[in-house]
Amino acid sequence: MELEEMQTVWSEISNQLDKQKKLTDKMIIMMTQEQYRKKWNKIAYPEIFGTIICFGMAILIFLNINQLETWYNIFFGLASAVVLIVLPILSLRSINKMSGINFYENSYRDTLIKYTKNKKQFQSLQKISYYLSFLLIFLILPVTSKILGGKDMFTGIKNLWPLLVFIPAGITFFVFFTKWVKKCYGKNINEAESILKDLESNE
Amino acid sequence: MSKEDEFTRVIKENEGVIFKITTVYTDQPEDQQDLYQEIVYQLWKAYGSFRGDAKVSTWMYRVALNTAITRLKKEKRKGNRVGIDQVVLKQTENYDIEFEEKLKILYAHIKMLSDLEKGLILLVLEGKKYEEISLITGLTPTNVGTRISRIKQKLKTQIVEE
């Protein structure tokens, strides 16, 4: 199909569509109202729910910091709390930035650049989040063991076999996990970079 | 005429354009419905700040195309959809098979292009001049020309490869 033929088909569909106007005033208003309501369901609810859980866990750690007793348990506790507070804040900030682009003031090119930049940033953050979440599993283990079970994971457990299995298994899992994360986000980030390169090099 | 009445009039006058944009930027009917509603919603949001210093169509293309490229994909489809499937998705039901086939090929070719290219070719097919395309896209008219000739070349290659 040549471009000329494409234009003929396009104008034919335009003519047909013009003849078939079916939207009603009520439908248009309903669409805007429904979409406004849906906004919050789509992004904010899962994010806010996750944030509440993370903050709740961080508060639990802070309230029980005295129970952690030893310096290393306190260190793990504080490190876990920092991850639990920082991660959701960064994620919410990033989503807010992505959805805050002004569609009217910005041209198509500017929107594409802004959106791609924010998306790249978001994807990079997601990548870091995955690594931090993995780290959190290890950090939070001795903390929960002490706070919820009352046992020091390093001195209070007599049988070391579970740890000897858990640590190598964790490292093996981490190697595969890293590869997977790299594959998932690397492609998207590279694509975003090439779009930006193309748009910004053609002034 | 109230702001709401004016807005609904503009949407009704341009519903075909919104339909074509949603067809080019989506693959699934559900996504198309979502995008259609999202564009109407964004147009409503932007309508208050539309000062009339540009043509309504320029303003509309800008908002609609910006919405299409920034829509978060793979979102969970929650909430109710207003029954626009009856309105937009069956608009092609009266076409003959041959035309329907041509239409499918046309959309397939456009969908193979990048997001920016999709927008550009859509505006070319809509019969927009380079100056107006430049206003909508923010590219210089010369850059628009260069990119469009590259897209034409790309489309030719796609067609040859078929």
Side-chain angles (χ1 to χ4, degrees), chain A residues 10 13-23, chain B residues 10-23 32 36 60-61 88 91 107 122 126:
Chain A
W10 196 263
I13 186 178
S14 300
N15 292 337
Q16 294 285 342
L17 288 172
D18 279 342
K19 279 183 213 159
Q20 298 180 32
K21 292 194 185 301
K22 288 177 182 175
L23 281 183
Chain B
V10 169
I11 297 296
K12 278 197 277 188
E13 274 172 16
N14 294 286
E15 61 183 270
V17 172
I18 305 174
F19 172 72
K20 282 180 281 184
I21 292 174
T22 58
T23 313
Q32 187 176 6
Y36 198 106
M60 214 202 61
Y61 277 109
V88 289
Q91 290 196 74
Y107 281 131
L122 200 137
E126 282 291 303

Side-chain angles (χ1 to χ4, degrees), chain A residues 162-190:
Chain A
L163 282 181
L164 289 173
V165 174
F166 181 74
I167 292 169
I171 292 167
T172 315
F173 177 69
F174 184 69
V175 172
F176 285 105
F177 178 77
T178 311
K179 278 188 182 169
W180 176 75
V181 172
K182 217 174 155 187
K183 199 178 152 196
C184 277
Y185 290 102
K187 196 176 158 244
N188 290 343
I189 294 169
N190 289 343

Side-chain angles (χ1 to χ4, degrees), chain B residues 92-139:
Chain B
T92 55
E93 69 188 359
N94 298 326
Y95 299 157
D96 61 59
I97 299 166
E98 199 190 337
F99 184 71
E100 193 80 43
E101 199 52 44
K102 278 184 182 174
L103 209 55
K104 272 185 193 164
I105 296 169
L106 171 69
Y107 281 131
H109 281 309
I110 298 174
K111 281 178 183 180
M112 283 162 88
L113 301 169
S114 74
D115 276 354
L116 179 73
E117 291 170 337
K118 274 179 199 165
L120 286 171
I121 197 71
L122 200 137
L123 293 167
V124 170
L125 292 172
E126 282 291 303
K128 300 286 169 203
K129 299 269 182 290
Y130 284 6
E131 284 73 22
E132 197 179 351
I133 297 178
S134 164
L135 277 175
I136 297 166
T137 58
L139 299 165

Side-chain angles (χ1 to χ4, degrees), chain A residues 3 10 38 74 76 95 104 135-136 160 170 184 198:
Chain A
L3 190 74
W10 196 263
K38 264 167 75 181
I74 292 174
F76 286 129
I95 287 174
Y104 173 53
L135 184 70
L136 188 66
L160 287 176
C184 277
D198 175 46

Side-chain angles (χ1 to χ4, degrees), chain B residues 69-85:
Chain B
I69 52 169
T70 56
R71 192 177 59 102
L72 291 172
K73 285 169 189 162
K74 290 177 186 170
E75 284 167 347
K76 275 196 168 180
R77 293 185 198 103
K78 285 179 182 173
N80 302 317
R81 263 176 228 108
V82 177
I84 59 160
D85 51 337

Side-chain angles (χ1 to χ4, degrees), chain A residues 79-140:
Chain A
S80 303
V82 169
V83 174
L84 287 165
I85 291 169
V86 170
L87 271 185
I89 291 176
L90 288 178
S91 178
L92 282 174
R93 217 178 129 241
S94 183
I95 287 174
N96 189 40
K97 233 174 141 183
M98 280 227 291
S99 53
I101 298 169
N102 188 325
F103 290 155
Y104 173 53
E105 296 294 338
N106 290 311
S107 67
Y108 187 59
R109 175 185 172 276
D110 291 341
T111 306
L112 200 54
I113 289 177
K114 272 189 189 164
Y115 181 70
T116 313
K117 271 186 184 164
N118 292 345
K119 195 175 156 193
K120 201 182 128 195
Q121 227 174 51
F122 180 68
Q123 298 276 358
S124 306
L125 180 75
Q126 289 289 94
K127 206 171 154 181
I128 296 166
S129 301
Y130 271 104
Y131 292 138
L132 282 176
S133 311
F134 188 81
L135 184 70
L136 188 66
I137 299 172
F138 289 95
L139 288 175
I140 216 159

